[in-house]
Amino acid sequence: MSDHEYTPKSKVGKWFNDRLPLLTLANHLTDYPTPKNLNYWWTFGGILTFCLITQIVTGLVLAMHYIAHADMAFDSVEHIMRDVNYGWLIRYIHANGASMFFLAVYIHIFRSLFYGSYKSPREIIWIIGIIIYLLMMAAAFMGYVLPWGQMSFWGATVITNLFSAIPLVGEGIVTWLWGGYSVDNPTLTRFFTLHYLIPFLILGLVVLHIWALHVPGNNNPVGIDIKKPSKDTVPFHPYIVIKDGFALLMFMIVFAFFVFYTPNILGHADNYIEANPLVTPAHIVPEWYLLPFYAILRSVPDKLLGVVAMLSAILILAALPWLDTSKIRSAVFRPLYKQFYWILVADVLILGYVGAMPAEGLYLLIARVATAYYFLHFLVILPVLGLKEKSLPLPLSITEPILGGSPNLSTAKNRESLKN
Amino acid sequence: MKNLFRILFLIISLFGFQYSSNAAEKIEYLKTDWSFKGLFGKFDRAALQRGYQVYTEVCSSCHSMKYLSYRNLAEKGGPEFSEAQVKAIAASFEVKDGPNEDGDMFTRPGKLSDKFVMPYENVKAAQAANGGAYPPDMSVLVKARKGGVDYIYSLLQGYEEPPAGITLDDGVYYNKYMYGNKIKMANQLSDGLVEYSDGTNATVEQMSKDVTTFLMWSAEPHLEARHQMGFKAIVYLIILTTLVYFSMKRIWSGIKTEV
């Protein structure tokens, strides 16, 4: 991976490193040449690692006290909140941690969209990222079921019922998922098992995600390929470590505010009512981070097609490196794409909003238009734009625009030729 | 740095947006100042004790509080009755225990470790005694209702004559804050219903406020500890962030780029 060979100084170190090159790895991670112009949107990778670890650690403690049984789950959560030492803290960190995790992952994804980080040679990093995102949604959904409140129960009923849309085998699959003929204790225990498993799968994929990142190195706000190491890069430690640390601390302040002062604002009141199969809540709403996809699901009148649309909305992202035909990565040099990018951001926010509203009247109409636009963006606008758009000239290096030179290819080339 | 503020702004507006979408169907609730809101919010000890009195004398004949134990009444951050007081409170309840050595169930006076005695044997019995409606357990009620404390506080004072054109079945009452306006619980509070031991005038408004404060505590017994720890945690984080910011500036000072 690294361009230079590393030999430990001490004899013991060398002996160990020849057998298991952990020191080489540590050296690679410390020296890893990183573009020096990364902005704060790039700090969310580190923040996400923190979120994952936080969820795993708090989750382990919660699992020590939680009882995965339909008759006892709700009681055991209240036991954690009342009688376990600092149980309220652990649970509120875990519950709000899920929201913070998604907040960070959305920023991370949209950063990638803006700066074209998914483009060659980083397609694999991007696809692994999409798989991580899918697993996150599965983990979050199953985690929300565990407290066994009304929203847990009915959310689980609605989402698992989506599988019944599959022709022929649908009903059978739903019964198989439930382990019975409705959401009940067998559903709860298997969701608990999977909720415990998935974070470790995510952890493994994160290692692959970072490994794949370290092959070509980071993209950067200018989006051009840079020589590594060079005057355009800084070693990961201490430069990026301290910057990521600073951004993480800012993020933690926001996180702490939610945990300590409004711990329930992102949840739904109905989830403090114990699950009751005989009483359906007035509105069944998923957690905020799933709302855009919920809006897409409900905007299609046919159940099967709705499910297909919802899944496609996520899977289409995996094809993005090939749907976007432009060779220019950063939106900074793509004036038209930049505008469409912000329209897409607005579109997703609108979808999230109508996802929280009842699917009727004007809300339904807005959801349909926004869904259509979402697909239009990826299937039509991006491929066409890449071929038609007149992009701005790219600088030769990162140093170029910063040192006061114009981000202009021809002037830069002239200067190069003068030097020679 | 500029970008950082943009990110923060985005985060805050995102959550503001989420919050406003939650509050879309908001009804105007009655307002009162709650002592437990805000960065340093604490419970009003006297209000909690009065609230407990209202709960035992009025609510507890139908509503259970299954997650509370008598010991909680003496714990820090709660009503903080003295241990002797709570022992006396617990002993005033008959608790079913057993089986004893002969295999029989028996009753004994309550102890600190006992859960609050339930008004009914089970949900069916509660429904049978209340015209088919189950009086919900009140331990986490405040968190289980949209509008939280303001909703409960308003509901207790929201009984009125139904507007013309609305007919109510037997055992159904009109309440302007209830979802759908129809409630199966009759108006329970009237001025002077309980006699507060601390001499406070027991108006409906006062009793509603006291019992709602008590319910907030029962739903969030560690609220005071949470606020105290939160303040310390955030101050600590802000100081650390500032130090890290200046270290970062120092480290990056040799590099010509914007941090």
Side-chain angles (χ1 to χ4, degrees):
Chain A
M1 284 181 281
S2 203
D3 292 336
H4 59 102
E5 280 300 311
Y6 168 76
T7 0
K9 284 190 193 80
S10 78
K11 253 188 174 170
V12 181
K14 197 177 173 310
W15 179 87
F16 184 86
N17 205 48
D18 285 345
R19 284 148 185 84
L20 179 66
L22 269 188
L23 293 170
T24 304
L25 178 67
N27 178 259
H28 160 77
L29 292 177
T30 333
D31 285 356
Y32 173 64
T34 318
K36 66 180 185 184
N37 62 336
L38 296 188
N39 56 34
Y40 281 99
W41 300 110
W42 259 267
T43 59
F44 282 87
I47 288 173
L48 282 161
T49 315
F50 164 80
C51 288
L52 177 63
I53 302 299
T54 308
Q55 291 303 86
I56 289 178
V57 172
T58 52
L60 284 173
V61 179
L62 288 173
M64 293 171 193
H65 301 280
Y66 171 78
I67 302 168
H69 188 285
D71 295 336
M72 287 179 272
F74 193 85
D75 290 356
S76 71
V77 171
E78 277 308 311
H79 165 69
I80 290 169
M81 292 297 289
R82 288 159 194 279
D83 294 331
V84 173
N85 288 333
Y86 298 104
W88 56 270
L89 178 63
I90 305 280
R91 173 161 179 262
Y92 279 153
I93 290 176
H94 197 74
N96 286 284
S99 281
M100 300 313 286
F101 204 157
F102 273 95
L103 174 73
V105 93
Y106 282 127
I107 294 175
H108 194 63
I109 291 172
F110 274 102
R111 187 270 291 155
S112 195
L113 291 181
F114 188 85
Y115 294 109
S117 304
Y118 48 85
K119 289 182 193 182
S120 173
R122 298 185 180 83
E123 300 95 321
I124 301 287
I125 313 174
W126 171 255
I127 289 169
I128 293 172
I130 297 297
I131 300 171
I132 293 174
Y133 174 50
L134 275 171
L135 285 174
M136 273 176 66
M137 289 201 275
F141 159 66
M142 290 191 227
Y144 198 57
V145 174
L146 302 184
W148 211 240
Q150 275 289 66
M151 237 2 121
S152 304
F153 182 89
W154 291 98
T157 306
V158 169
I159 300 297
T160 45
N161 255 314
L162 294 180
F163 289 90
S164 71
I166 303 168
L168 301 173
V169 291
E171 294 292 338
I173 288 179
V174 174
T175 311
W176 176 73
L177 283 175
W178 285 342
Y181 295 101
S182 68
V183 173
D184 206 338
N185 196 48
T187 327
L188 177 59
T189 48
R190 67 192 55 184
F191 275 23
F192 178 57
T193 311
L194 293 174
H195 183 72
Y196 207 120
L197 168 73
I198 291 174
F200 296 98
L201 298 182
I202 293 177
L203 189 62
L205 284 166
V206 166
V207 172
L208 294 184
H209 193 66
I210 296 172
W211 186 0
L213 168 72
H214 279 229
V215 176
N218 290 69
N219 183 27
N220 64 76
V222 181
I224 53 169
D225 289 320
I226 50 170
K227 254 189 75 187
K228 280 165 279 223
S230 71
K231 64 181 196 299
D232 281 348
T233 65
V234 288
F236 190 78
H237 183 77
Y239 294 96
I240 303 299
V241 169
I242 187 98
K243 193 169 172 179
D244 276 1
F246 170 64
L248 174 62
L249 282 165
M250 296 285 276
F251 182 81
M252 282 168 79
I253 293 173
V254 178
F255 194 160
F257 186 80
F258 277 101
V259 168
F260 291 108
Y261 291 106
T262 58
N264 291 306
I265 200 163
L266 299 169
H268 198 291
D270 278 15
N271 229 27
Y272 278 104
I273 304 173
E274 194 168 357
N276 184 347
L278 301 176
V279 179
T280 319
H283 299 292
I284 301 174
V285 202
E287 293 275 73
W288 69 267
Y289 39 78
L290 302 175
L291 287 173
F293 300 105
Y294 194 55
I296 292 175
L297 170 78
R298 295 192 306 178
S299 68
V300 183
D302 181 78
K303 191 175 177 184
L304 177 61
L305 291 178
V307 175
V308 170
M310 182 177 68
L311 282 177
S312 321
I314 304 165
L315 293 178
I316 205 169
L317 293 172
L320 191 57
W322 297 275
L323 286 172
D324 186 347
T325 47
S326 172
K327 292 278 173 278
I328 312 292
R329 293 198 191 98
S330 175
V332 172
F333 303 100
R334 298 182 64 192
L336 273 177
Y337 173 72
K338 203 185 208 170
Q339 291 174 29
F340 283 111
Y341 170 84
W342 287 111
I343 298 174
L344 179 74
V345 173
D347 187 62
V348 173
L349 288 175
I350 290 168
L351 278 171
Y353 178 75
V354 292
M357 295 292 138
E360 57 198 27
L362 187 61
Y363 292 130
L364 189 58
L365 182 71
I366 296 173
R368 286 185 175 154
V369 174
T371 302
Y373 183 80
Y374 182 90
F375 286 104
L376 189 77
H377 176 92
F378 289 107
L379 292 175
V380 181
I381 294 173
L382 280 189
V384 174
L385 206 58
L387 303 175
K388 300 275 178 204
E389 185 180 27
K390 265 192 76 174
S391 57
L392 301 178
L394 292 174
L396 270 187
S397 77
I398 293 175
T399 335
E400 193 72 35
I402 292 167
L403 292 181
S406 70
N408 191 312
L409 193 60
S410 52
T411 20
K413 274 204 174 130
N414 282 340
R415 213 176 302 147
E416 286 285 308
S417 56
L418 278 177
K419 254 187 238 166
N420 298 335
Chain B
M1 221 31 212
K2 217 169 66 192
N3 269 324
L4 203 69
F5 286 120
R6 272 191 214 154
I7 296 172
L8 272 178
F9 175 75
L10 196 79
I11 292 170
I12 291 160
S13 50
L14 261 176
F15 281 113
F17 173 80
Q18 157 79 6
Y19 181 70
S20 62
S21 69
N22 272 342
E25 310 158 28
K26 206 164 167 183
I27 320 157
E28 273 305 312
Y29 295 122
L30 296 178
K31 290 272 173 282
T32 186
D33 39 317
W34 301 108
S35 62
F36 48 80
K37 296 246 158 126
L39 288 189
F40 304 102
K42 278 183 173 178
F43 289 113
D44 175 353
R45 226 53 72 195
L48 281 181
Q49 298 198 352
R50 289 195 300 270
Y52 172 70
Q53 192 184 344
V54 177
Y55 167 72
T56 353
E57 291 180 20
V58 188
C59 321
S60 72
S61 52
C62 297
H63 290 278
S64 58
M65 274 219 165
K66 61 177 174 179
Y67 297 120
L68 262 69
S69 305
Y70 294 111
R71 66 180 161 83
N72 297 138
L73 293 171
E75 277 164 13
K76 202 168 171 288
E80 294 184 6
F81 287 110
S82 70
E83 197 171 308
Q85 277 174 312
V86 181
K87 274 185 176 156
I89 288 172
S92 69
F93 293 94
E94 288 285 296
V95 176
K96 200 172 178 185
D97 202 350
N100 62 13
E101 284 169 2
D102 301 324
D104 299 322
M105 301 303 279
F106 60 94
T107 55
R108 57 160 176 81
K111 292 185 291 194
L112 287 183
S113 56
D114 286 320
K115 294 271 182 207
F116 276 28
V117 173
M118 309 271 272
Y120 300 103
E121 285 277 309
N122 50 53
V123 174
K124 287 284 174 208
Q127 283 174 328
N130 288 284
Y134 170 62
D137 183 88
M138 299 214 297
S139 324
V140 281
L141 194 67
V142 163
K143 288 199 281 185
R145 295 292 179 274
K146 217 169 161 177
V149 277
D150 293 327
Y151 167 76
I152 306 276
Y153 176 70
S154 307
L155 184 102
L156 288 170
Q157 302 173 64
Y159 286 90
E160 359 179 276
E161 286 302 311
I166 292 186
T167 47
L168 298 170
D169 296 336
D170 243 11
V172 179
Y173 307 89
Y174 187 85
N175 189 309
K176 64 175 168 178
Y177 298 107
M178 178 76 185
Y179 187 71
N181 297 123
K182 291 176 182 174
I183 186 166
K184 288 206 162 178
M185 177 175 82
N187 188 6
Q188 298 296 331
L189 299 178
S190 57
D191 288 338
L193 181 70
V194 298
E195 199 180 317
Y196 280 137
S197 50
D198 65 357
T200 308
N201 190 10
T203 58
V204 169
E205 203 187 327
Q206 183 67 44
M207 287 185 286
S208 305
K209 190 172 176 179
D210 291 342
V211 81
T212 308
T213 307
F214 179 71
L215 290 181
M216 183 69 216
W217 166 74
S218 73
E220 280 284 315
H222 300 293
L223 178 138
E224 287 187 11
R226 173 154 63 76
H227 284 176
Q228 280 163 15
M229 188 192 284
F231 183 73
K232 284 183 210 155
I234 289 173
V235 167
Y236 174 82
L237 281 172
I238 289 173
I239 294 171
L240 186 61
T241 309
T242 317
L243 292 176
V244 169
Y245 175 75
F246 286 111
S247 315
M248 177 177 76
K249 279 287 178 199
R250 181 83 180 269
I251 289 171
W252 277 81
S253 60
I255 308 285
K256 277 203 183 69
T257 183
E258 193 197 342
V259 180

